[in-house]
Amino acid sequence: MKIIGTGSVHPKCSVSNEMLEKFLETTDEWITERTGIKERCVISSEKLEDLATEAANKALENAGLTAKDIDFIICSNVVNEYVTPALSCIIQGKLGATCPTVDINAACAGFIFALDMAEDKLQCKKAKNILIVCAEEPSRMVSWKNRSTCVLFGDGAGAAVVTEGDEMKAIRLTTSSLTDVLYYQRALEPTPYIDKEENYEPLVMRGREVFKHAVTSSCRDIRTLLNQTNLKPEDIKYYVLHQANRRIIDSIRNFLGVDEACVPHNVERYGNISSAALPALLDELNREGKLQKGDKLVFSAFGAGFTTGACIIEWAK
Ligand code: ACO
């Protein structure tokens, strides 16, 4: 498998920490020190499906392909306006594609789970060109009265087009059922027969536990893949890590002992945009001309579940 195109889109409404100070008991200083986040883009008048389609079109253009060339679409999404149909069905129509599609929910690790699924399809020769779209609006999962969670998230979409190739060097996925540290439940319709108690609340997160698990699992996954491929940390051009929190990114970098320049970040501008974070950051690096053919890249992400995914790829363009 190889990546041949990337795209990303962020909503137009940028919310600074100072704007949050106006309705939350918080400060720019607290948010910056604990998370590194200065602003985040959140959905206002846009629809997530439109952001996703725009990101997908940019990735297709970057790959030199059209929607008709795509044999399969994988959309990574945790929440959007629809429970059904899948977001990927809506995106397919808006793109003018005709291939089958599927949605996956591996939370913030969704991009790497999607890469893994795509590689399987390519290896089985069931598809030649696959579009991965990660589209997320976590701003609609949090209570905007809860300063512990709403300051952390932003919305956005990132996409990648992959095709046959030998550039996926190693990949590792894990799930460890740890469901009470980070979850969000949606209200279901009542029925005449429901006699159990049902409580729905906005996103619940035990921040410190998430923090520890994120750092430990990401370091474990990356070290495992480096060993597996006989690569040294310094052989990697960029560590493209999940953009949840600058302190998590810095801790992972310190544990791995890698140079600051090798760990790009944009969490300060976008907050945590869940599974869209990785393809959006990759797209930034790609469009800024920072990636050369043959560069080795590590991707690593963690999310609710707990899910983790990491891989090492060689840049092919
Ligand atoms: N402004 C001011 N004070 C705040 C804010 C805020 N925005 N949020 C919390 N506080 C207060 C708390 O109420 C608490 O006050 P108290 O001591 O009076 O009770 C105090 O700050 C300390 O709170 P902690 O939660 O202990 O703060 P901590 O240092 O752990 O930082 C944070 C919190 C930033 C959430 C941290 O735990 C973290 O980054 N965790 C990981 C979160 C994350 O990455 N989640 C998503 C990952 S998975 C995915 O992407 C889906």
Side-chain angles (χ1 to χ4, degrees):
M1 196 205 77
K2 65 179 174 187
I3 298 177
I4 54 167
T6 63
S8 60
V9 174
H10 301 276
K12 61 180 184 294
C13 173
S14 175
V15 178
S16 66
N17 293 344
E18 288 77 11
M19 287 159 78
L20 296 176
E21 284 176 2
K22 295 199 165 57
F23 62 93
L24 280 174
E25 208 181 305
T26 191
T27 59
D28 170 48
E29 194 188 355
W30 193 98
I31 301 171
T32 306
E33 191 189 303
R34 306 284 178 122
T35 72
I37 300 166
K38 297 298 281 182
E39 56 193 325
R40 69 285 294 142
C41 297
V42 299
I43 279 189
S44 51
S45 58
E46 305 100 329
K47 280 180 166 286
L48 188 63
E49 63 220 48
D50 293 324
L51 298 181
T53 306
E54 199 182 330
N57 270 323
K58 286 184 174 180
L60 285 170
E61 196 186 344
N62 189 235
L65 298 180
T66 71
K68 299 277 180 260
D69 300 316
I70 296 298
D71 306 308
F72 201 74
I73 299 174
I74 305 171
C75 176
S76 162
N77 170 258
V78 175
V79 81
N80 71 89
E81 286 175 26
Y82 291 90
V83 172
T84 194
L87 190 54
S88 59
C89 300
I90 303 173
I91 296 167
Q92 187 235 36
K94 286 184 176 269
L95 285 173
T98 50
C99 59
T101 76
V102 71
D103 275 22
I104 62 165
N105 177 354
C108 304
F111 181 58
I112 301 180
F113 276 71
L115 286 175
D116 188 64
M117 279 177 73
E119 194 185 36
D120 288 349
K121 277 218 170 281
L122 295 172
Q123 276 180 353
C124 297
K125 307 269 182 218
K126 284 190 170 175
K128 189 170 181 303
N129 300 313
I130 300 178
L131 171 67
I132 298 172
V133 193
C134 303
E136 304 279 13
E137 48 184 333
S139 75
R140 306 301 299 277
M141 290 161 43
V142 295
S143 161
W144 281 76
K145 293 185 177 136
N146 182 349
R147 65 181 182 175
S148 301
T149 52
C150 76
V151 305
L152 304 174
F153 295 95
D155 306 324
V161 178
V162 301
T163 192
E164 293 161 331
D166 190 25
E167 278 78 355
M168 172 64 86
K169 299 303 173 193
I171 188 159
R172 176 184 159 88
L173 309 178
T174 76
T175 299
S176 39
S177 185
L178 192 66
T179 50
D180 58 344
V181 297
L182 184 57
Y183 63 90
Y184 169 64
Q185 294 171 293
R186 252 189 183 189
L188 300 175
E189 299 302 322
T191 82
Y193 311 107
I194 290 294
D195 54 7
K196 59 189 172 176
E197 200 183 320
E198 294 185 324
N199 298 312
Y200 300 105
E201 47 188 337
L203 187 93
V204 174
M205 185 182 70
R206 299 221 293 270
R208 290 197 171 196
E209 285 182 53
V210 173
F211 193 110
K212 275 188 232 148
H213 200 77
V215 174
T216 313
S217 59
S218 202
C219 290
R220 175 204 62 204
D221 288 351
I222 294 171
R223 285 192 182 117
T224 304
L225 293 182
L226 289 172
N227 281 337
Q228 219 173 299
T229 48
N230 286 321
L231 290 168
K232 294 190 279 304
E234 56 272 24
D235 294 330
I236 303 299
K237 173 81 176 279
Y238 289 120
Y239 291 79
V240 184
L241 307 180
H242 179 42
Q243 303 291 297
N245 177 316
R246 183 67 201 271
R247 275 166 58 220
I248 293 179
I249 297 167
D250 288 345
S251 300
I252 297 169
R253 178 173 61 75
N254 285 331
F255 279 119
L256 294 174
V258 299
D259 209 68
E260 209 173 339
C262 300
V263 187
H265 48 85
N266 60 13
V267 67
E268 57 280 4
R269 278 175 281 139
Y270 302 122
N272 179 353
I273 54 172
S274 190
S275 73
L278 246 61
L281 180 58
L282 181 68
D283 183 49
E284 226 171 270
L285 295 169
N286 183 20
R287 282 169 199 271
E288 285 169 4
K290 291 186 172 158
L291 304 175
Q292 311 297 323
K293 190 174 164 55
D295 282 348
K296 293 196 174 54
L297 307 177
V298 161
F299 299 159
S300 174
F302 48 86
F306 230 82
T307 58
T308 77
C311 65
I312 298 180
I313 65 147
E314 210 169 276
W315 191 246
K317 286 197 72 150

